[in-house]
Amino acid sequence: MFVLLRHLQRVRREAALPPRSGARSLAVRHLDAGSCNACEHELTATAAPQYDLARFGIGIVASPRHADVLLVTGPVTKRMEGPLRRAYEAMPEPRLVAALGDCALGCGVLGDRAELAAPLEELLPVAIRIPGCPPSPEQIAEGLLTVVRAPLDPPAGRR
Amino acid sequence: MNSAPPVIALSAWREACLGALDRGGRFCGAYASGTGAARRWNALFADGAETLVLSADAGAADPPTIVDLIPAADWDEREAHDLRDLRFEGRESQRPLATHAPETASWTVPVEGRGTHQVVVGPTHAGVIESGHFRFHVVGERILQLDTRLFYKHRGLERAAEGRSPAAGLAFAARACGAGSVTNSVAYAQACEAALGLVPSRELRRGRTVLLELERLYNHLNDVAAICAGVGFAPGNMAFATLKERALRLNCELAGHRFLFGTVAVGGSVLDLDAAAAGRARGELGELRADAEAAWRELAFAASFQARLGGVGVLSTEDASELGAVGPAARASGLHIDTRGTSPGLWYGSAFAPARPPAASGDVAARLEMRAAELPVTFELLDDLLSEPVRPGDAAAGGSTGPIGVARVEGPRGETVCAVELEGEHLGRLHLRTASYANWPALVHAAAGNLLPDFPLINKSFELCYACVDR
């Protein structure tokens, strides 16, 4: 095991990743609404030592109740529309929806119209758009980092 | 293959299917086609390099079920019922597969007894996982029965492909599954070529074989990483994730896409590697091989990891055969089926011998070791294929044409079967049955009797895709 760990340290050194920035975080909940699984492969890859998005405070969380961002892949099938809406409703506010990949962005979607619900944009307010088929881990990092690095909204006025 | 199969009367259907088995055929899928009086119920049987198509006349009456003779046909019949409105005479139950009936009792197996309860998971999961719903019937920690409900990701790809040209239909097969895109695309392209009477050139056969082995390479590395993740062994997971990432980067360098999208065409291949590019690829593959072997050795000495693998999720040889399992999962259970050995449209040659597992014990350990045993075969094949330039290939007219084309291609998780029916110059029917589709019933069966906390591990040892099952 120690050999594996040493090997991983070497990979990290050789990848020469830029240093982490700021002290902010982003909790991401992934939701597959009918993807081909390639977006999932690339999202998983962002955790690999060559990218390691945890450096930037970006982590995949297990429940929408813990999430800042709902990261959606796929063209939204009829059968996934309900689970998608329920996941969004379960999120605390403020919450953001991210469309990961061309299908979630409604571009070049393949399938029978009768089996697809509606483009994600028509179902939920999409704030982050990460195009690609599938987007590379760099593109996913770039898309999520824009949120981490965005200036914070001023606190909402008290009622 | 190329002449339309004779239509079999329903009264002779079961006998015809049994006959195909008796002659050494292996059931590899069934699908409904046509509408109204011209409706057909077709069953496919693998026999060496050939695929036998049996076609029953389902225009006027319901075909008799074959699920009691061939349990592997269970999902095919249930899918045809749900998506193509076909009913089967004599089935004891017709539980929904693709239709999501609201009543749980309609699609689950009743489990009763003191202390039994259900643990419900999905369709959305706690990590980066595809959508699917599991219902575990457990007593204590022990799984008595697992009911799965998939098809959450059903996009209607097969139906959407109907009416399109063979060239335009490729995208529907290719995007059924991101991680099996090459396998499914090659199966589709070969099925179309069989129907159109096109014969692949030497270069086309070589080019496709390179792409298929590159796909197997990154998938096998992924699967080893996934099994490590299944027990929470992070160093192993990350070590193989790192190797997979290198394989994906090599794909991008060689073919312009990390998942090799857009590299396969009907009657053609766009992969173009001159001697220098092929040489560089060989060098990188050599380094990758050495590092993969080193990481594998470390896994072998990680006692806490190894202790979790033996005797878990056992799939016996008989069950693997009855349920129609394919690919590494079938080979790990002692079934020596590998379509690469009978693929004249590719470049494996008659000397190809599939790797044999160190022990065909059918458990998680065997499925993991099967991947490790197959990696050297893939590295050898790629090293050999890349010893000369790989040029774009084509396919020339010369074979016999016909309304139905069928092809079978061995992918990382096993055999994809693709059937294409042409109506004039357009697709009348596209049917894609991937290895994940074939293996889901085997996974469900292997889970029973195990501990619930071992399910992620059992699941990852099959590493089945949901997208290409749901289509």
Side-chain angles (χ1 to χ4, degrees), chain B residues 2 70 76 86 97-98 113 152 180 193 197 213 247 286 355 380 395 437 445:
Chain B
N2 287 327
I70 305 171
D76 302 80
L86 207 62
L97 184 74
Y152 278 92
E193 287 155 15
E213 290 304 317
E380 294 287 338
Y437 192 97
H445 187 73

Side-chain angles (χ1 to χ4, degrees), chain B residues 4-298:
Chain B
V7 176
I8 297 165
L10 292 183
S11 56
W13 178 241
R14 285 168 59 88
E15 210 172 308
C17 291
L18 268 185
L21 290 184
D22 287 344
R23 287 190 296 277
R26 172 175 56 83
F27 175 83
C28 62
Y31 68 97
S33 62
T35 52
R39 188 149 68 166
R40 300 278 177 270
W41 173 238
N42 313 283
L44 307 172
F45 294 87
D47 184 7
E50 299 295 315
T51 311
L52 174 69
V53 183
L54 295 183
S55 201
D57 176 5
D62 301 336
T65 183
I66 54 168
V67 77
D68 55 324
L69 310 173
I70 305 171
D74 182 37
W75 279 36
D76 302 80
E77 290 192 352
R78 289 165 67 190
E79 180 184 317
H81 174 272
D82 290 2
L83 298 181
R84 298 275 165 173
D85 206 26
L86 207 62
R87 267 155 247 284
F88 294 91
E89 179 94 11
R91 263 192 86 108
E92 278 184 21
S93 69
Q94 184 65 68
R95 289 189 290 144
L97 184 74
T99 301
H100 287 185
E103 309 83 27
T104 306
S106 69
W107 61 274
T108 54
V109 171
V111 176
E112 289 171 8
R114 195 153 50 140
T116 62
H117 61 282
Q118 294 182 16
V119 176
V120 181
V121 184
T124 60
H125 299 276
V128 182
I129 302 169
E130 292 187 86
S131 294
H133 180 57
F134 301 118
R135 235 163 227 277
F136 299 92
H137 303 265
V138 296
V139 59
E141 294 275 296
R142 187 76 55 188
I143 302 168
L144 299 174
Q145 159 75 21
L146 165 59
D147 286 313
T148 56
R149 182 157 77 176
L150 303 185
F151 284 84
Y152 278 92
K153 302 173 57 152
H154 180 57
R155 292 152 283 165
L157 290 176
E158 290 185 358
R159 217 178 265 283
E162 288 171 9
R164 293 174 196 267
S165 69
L170 176 71
F172 296 85
R175 290 300 193 280
C177 175
S181 175
V182 172
T183 306
N184 296 341
S185 298
V186 170
Y188 173 84
Q190 288 189 345
C192 287
E193 287 155 15
L196 296 167
L198 296 173
V199 180
S201 66
R202 173 183 185 275
E203 282 307 314
L204 183 56
R205 289 157 60 204
R206 292 185 67 240
R208 284 177 175 171
T209 308
V210 170
L211 292 167
L212 285 164
E213 290 304 317
L214 287 172
E215 183 169 84
R216 190 178 331 277
L217 173 61
Y218 85 76
N219 270 289
H220 274 25
L221 294 170
N222 173 78
D223 294 357
V224 176
I227 292 171
C228 293
V231 298
F233 185 58
N237 176 21
M238 285 297 142
F240 278 86
T242 300
L243 295 167
K244 176 200 171 190
E245 175 65 22
R246 283 166 59 185
L248 290 179
R249 289 179 182 184
L250 178 66
N251 287 349
C252 195
E253 201 182 308
L254 296 180
H257 194 281
R258 284 161 60 88
F259 296 87
L260 307 167
F261 287 3
T263 53
V264 178
V266 176
S269 147
V270 294
L271 188 65
D272 189 3
L273 304 173
D274 59 21
R280 281 197 304 277
R282 278 178 95 191
E284 169 61 16
L285 285 165
E287 289 174 27
L288 198 55
R289 179 176 186 172
D291 289 345
E293 283 171 356
W296 176 253
R297 276 196 298 277
E298 290 306 315

Side-chain angles (χ1 to χ4, degrees), chain A residues 32 36 41-42 51 77 79, chain B residues 131 152-153 178 244-245 258:
Chain A
D32 165 15
C36 76
H41 272 261
E42 293 297 51
Y51 304 100
T77 60
R79 294 167 176 83
Chain B
S131 294
Y152 278 92
K153 302 173 57 152
K244 176 200 171 190
E245 175 65 22
R258 284 161 60 88

Side-chain angles (χ1 to χ4, degrees), chain B residues 223-234 237 305 308-309 453-461:
Chain B
D223 294 357
V224 176
I227 292 171
C228 293
V231 298
F233 185 58
N237 176 21
F305 172 66
R308 290 286 305 276
L309 311 177
D454 274 337
F455 181 72
L457 174 62
I458 300 168
N459 193 11
K460 293 291 173 193
S461 73

Side-chain angles (χ1 to χ4, degrees), chain B residues 383-447:
Chain B
D383 192 63
D384 184 45
L385 283 159
L386 292 168
S387 61
E388 54 179 297
V390 180
R391 291 301 184 192
D394 54 13
S400 55
T401 62
I404 299 184
V406 183
R408 294 182 289 116
V409 174
E410 184 80 14
R413 288 178 188 84
E415 176 186 79
T416 282
V417 184
C418 184
V420 164
E421 297 192 5
L422 295 182
E423 282 172 7
E425 293 184 350
H426 297 98
L427 293 173
R429 183 78 168 93
L430 159 64
H431 182 64
L432 195 66
R433 192 183 197 265
T434 63
S436 290
Y437 192 97
N439 281 348
W440 266 103
L443 161 61
V444 168
H445 187 73

